[in-house]
Amino acid sequence: MKPSLFLILFPVAVLADVVSYNERNVVPWEPKNSTSVDQSVINNGYYYLSDRTNSVVHVVNIASGALAADIKGFAGLNLVNGKADPGTSGPNGLIVLPDRNELYVGDGDGSVKVVDLRNNTVVASIHTGAAYRADEFAYDVNRQLITVTNPEEIIPLVTIISVANRTVLGNITFPDATNGVEQPAWNPIDGYVYVSVPETKTNPGGEIDVVDIENFKLIKVLQQPNCNSHGIVFGPYQQLLLGCSQDSIFTYGTAHIAIMDVSTGTVAATINGIAGADQVTYDPTTNFYYVSAYQNTANGTKQGLPDPVLGIIDAASYTLVQTIPTDNITAHSVAVDPKTNTLVVPLAKSGITFYDIGYSTNSPGTGTSGAGRAQPLHLFLIAVATFAAIMNL
Ligand SMILES: *[C@@H]1O[C@H](CO)[C@@H](O)[C@H](O)[C@H]1NC(C)=O
Ligand SMILES: *[C@@H]1O[C@H](CO)[C@@H](O)[C@H](O)[C@H]1NC(C)=O
Ligand SMILES: *[C@@H]1O[C@H](CO)[C@@H](O)[C@H](O)[C@H]1NC(C)=O
Ligand SMILES: *[C@@H]1O[C@H](CO)[C@@H](O)[C@H](O)[C@H]1NC(C)=O
Ligand SMILES: *[C@@H]1O[C@H](CO)[C@@H](O)[C@H](O)[C@H]1NC(C)=O
Ligand SMILES: *[C@@H]1O[C@H](CO)[C@@H](O)[C@H](O)[C@H]1NC(C)=O
């Protein structure tokens, strides 16, 4: 998406101290309360969430906040000795291919399911060749190539698929990785895919591997600041937000989120006091990152009490502008709509929860914290930003 007119006309930093997301509505779980979900994504007014417990991808209409469909045909939650086995369960990671009106979903048997979004039906199953699950995705829209991770193999890898003929073209392995591979992200500026590798023999604190998916080659390795990243996402100016996981709290006693400048490989900023992340996302309209810090701890130590939050970070000032209490079960998923700025987090106790950007009354007890008071001018600017995004200015 191109930057909105708003971002050019108004410095986004003015929003930083006034933004406040407030709960709007909840879509209760069905048919049964979920204990295991995976990624979520928003496209064209609809929210999609992988729900392993119910073996479906839920489709929710963002404007009405109502369940529109459940996409069926996945492995479901596989239990081994009564415990969830992520390596053989699905649906897992997912991605929308807007130009093709398709959703690609990683499944528990190592296949990738292709969903036609006109009728929310699985129309193809592409086997990656892996023994365990297919997981997270990046989409190179220029070359029409999908990158999908196979994190559970003895040597983890990413598989490259042509979306035109739905065939596997090849793979790239990560023999140095000691704890799987996580989110890949496509960089339209250099055409490479950036892979979150949480832990390697060379870099126990994690690295970002830059790969050429056309020639199945590793281009370079960028070392992380003890972070053990799970989710990663590109923000503005060739910056990549690294969602540092609970491993960085437990192994290094560091609780931070990092922002890496990928053109130099240097760390542009670390945001302290928040970690334990899984999925992360970015909204170019608000210029905020959204971090599902579901395994955050209250004082940033291993002994600290669980303090699961959704963190909102200003990409311009590198500050944590709001935290919303969540849970340590299903709230490792986050999505945001760049048109309406609606934020969506699945909560185990209640269901799929929608938050809208708006007034901050600055009063405690609203279930949110860290937000300042909204001024009429700021609300006007948010309205202009939303209007500009909707009109695609
Ligand atoms: C789901 O959880 C809610 C809230 O805890 C509870 O009221 C409801 O009965 C549960 N539903 C099912 C199907 O277990
Ligand atoms: C969904 O659409 C695809 C492509 O147009 C078609 O092949 C498939 O039969 C449709 N499925 C259903 C259940 O309508
Ligand atoms: C990865 O590609 C190689 C060929 O380059 C192939 O031999 C191997 O089976 C592939 N791995 C998987 C898990 O499909
Ligand atoms: C599928 O398309 C890719 C280009 O995206 C091409 O390189 C490959 O040879 C095609 N494979 C088959 C089986 O047609
Ligand atoms: C963090 O919190 C835990 C639990 O309250 C406590 O035991 C521990 O001493 C605290 N650590 C620090 C460094 O404050
Ligand atoms: C999740 O949080 C609850 C408290 O809400 C705690 O009792 C439980 O131990 C936590 N689970 C994990 C795996 O951290």
Side-chain angles (χ1 to χ4, degrees):
M1 170 185 225
K2 60 181 173 172
S4 76
L5 179 65
F6 169 78
L7 292 184
I8 297 158
L9 293 181
F10 301 100
V12 170
V14 300
L15 292 179
D17 61 340
V18 299
V19 72
S20 170
Y21 275 88
N22 299 302
E23 190 177 315
R24 186 231 299 173
N25 79 301
V26 179
V27 179
W29 297 112
E30 65 173 61
K32 55 187 171 190
N33 286 356
S34 191
T35 54
S36 176
V37 306
D38 205 358
Q39 287 193 318
S40 54
V41 68
I42 285 174
N43 179 61
N44 198 25
Y46 288 91
Y47 167 80
Y48 301 88
L49 170 68
S50 280
D51 180 346
R52 290 186 283 239
T53 307
N54 290 301
S55 297
V56 299
V57 172
H58 297 292
V59 185
V60 183
N61 180 318
I62 293 169
S64 69
L67 188 68
D70 277 338
I71 303 166
K72 297 182 178 69
F74 304 98
L77 186 61
N78 191 27
L79 299 177
V80 174
N81 300 326
K83 289 193 86 175
D85 182 32
T88 56
S89 299
N92 301 304
L94 41 68
I95 196 169
V96 170
L97 286 53
D99 56 324
R100 301 178 61 85
N101 221 351
E102 289 172 346
L103 179 76
Y104 273 48
V105 189
D107 207 359
D109 62 353
S111 70
V112 170
K113 299 292 189 325
V114 181
V115 176
D116 186 326
L117 290 180
R118 287 167 299 189
N119 57 16
N120 290 323
T121 308
V122 173
V123 292
S125 179
I126 308 161
H127 208 284
T128 58
Y132 300 98
R133 71 167 164 170
D135 197 3
E136 301 179 0
F137 294 90
Y139 179 39
D140 176 343
V141 65
N142 292 347
R143 296 189 185 88
Q144 298 276 289
L145 297 177
I146 277 285
T147 300
V148 60
T149 62
N150 297 113
E152 323 284 341
E153 306 308 294
I154 293 167
I155 297 174
L157 68 154
V158 298
T159 298
I160 315 304
I161 296 170
S162 158
V163 302
N165 53 31
R166 295 175 181 158
T167 347
V168 171
L169 302 179
N171 63 54
I172 303 161
T173 56
F174 298 83
D176 205 33
T178 46
N179 194 15
V181 285
E182 286 278 341
Q183 186 68 51
W186 178 59
N187 184 355
I189 302 294
D190 61 17
Y192 295 135
V193 167
Y194 287 62
V195 183
S196 167
V197 189
E199 187 187 294
T200 65
K201 288 172 208 152
T202 315
N203 290 306
E207 62 189 47
I208 299 295
D209 285 13
V210 184
V211 295
D212 171 353
I213 58 170
E214 219 170 9
N215 300 298
F216 317 113
K217 263 192 354 215
L218 175 68
I219 298 295
K220 61 181 167 185
V221 170
L222 309 174
Q223 188 185 355
Q224 298 179 8
N226 295 335
C227 170
N228 306 114
S229 67
H230 280 195
I232 57 172
V233 68
F234 277 102
Y237 323 118
Q238 286 295 284
Q239 292 194 329
L240 190 68
L241 178 128
L242 313 183
C244 304
S245 69
Q246 196 184 47
D247 289 342
S248 69
I249 303 177
F250 282 15
T251 311
Y252 301 103
T254 49
H256 61 209
I257 296 296
I259 295 175
M260 182 182 271
D261 185 336
V262 299
S263 48
T264 59
T266 56
V267 177
T270 50
I271 296 93
N272 291 324
I274 182 167
D278 195 22
Q279 191 173 19
V280 295
T281 191
Y282 170 70
D283 178 353
T285 312
T286 56
N287 200 30
F288 292 150
Y289 296 105
Y290 302 78
V291 177
S292 66
Y294 80 124
Q295 290 178 327
N296 190 46
T297 66
N299 57 13
T301 73
K302 188 175 181 170
Q303 294 75 31
L305 295 172
D307 185 25
V309 294
L310 187 286
I312 302 171
I313 292 170
D314 184 341
S317 65
Y318 306 135
T319 51
L320 183 62
V321 295
Q322 187 180 4
T323 56
I324 300 173
T326 58
D327 67 46
N328 59 9
I329 306 162
T330 54
H332 63 114
S333 192
V334 59
V336 64
D337 181 10
K339 291 214 167 104
T340 59
N341 306 313
T342 297
L343 167 69
V344 194
V345 183
L347 298 178
K349 272 195 181 149
S350 39
I352 301 165
T353 308
F354 285 68
Y355 303 85
D356 282 330
I357 201 166
Y359 277 104
S360 162
T361 59
N362 229 0
S363 62
T366 56
T368 61
S369 66
R373 184 177 294 276
Q375 306 291 335
L377 174 65
H378 295 130
L379 292 168
F380 171 72
L381 293 180
I382 291 170
V384 171
T386 305
F387 177 74
I390 289 169
M391 300 310 289
N392 209 15
L393 291 172

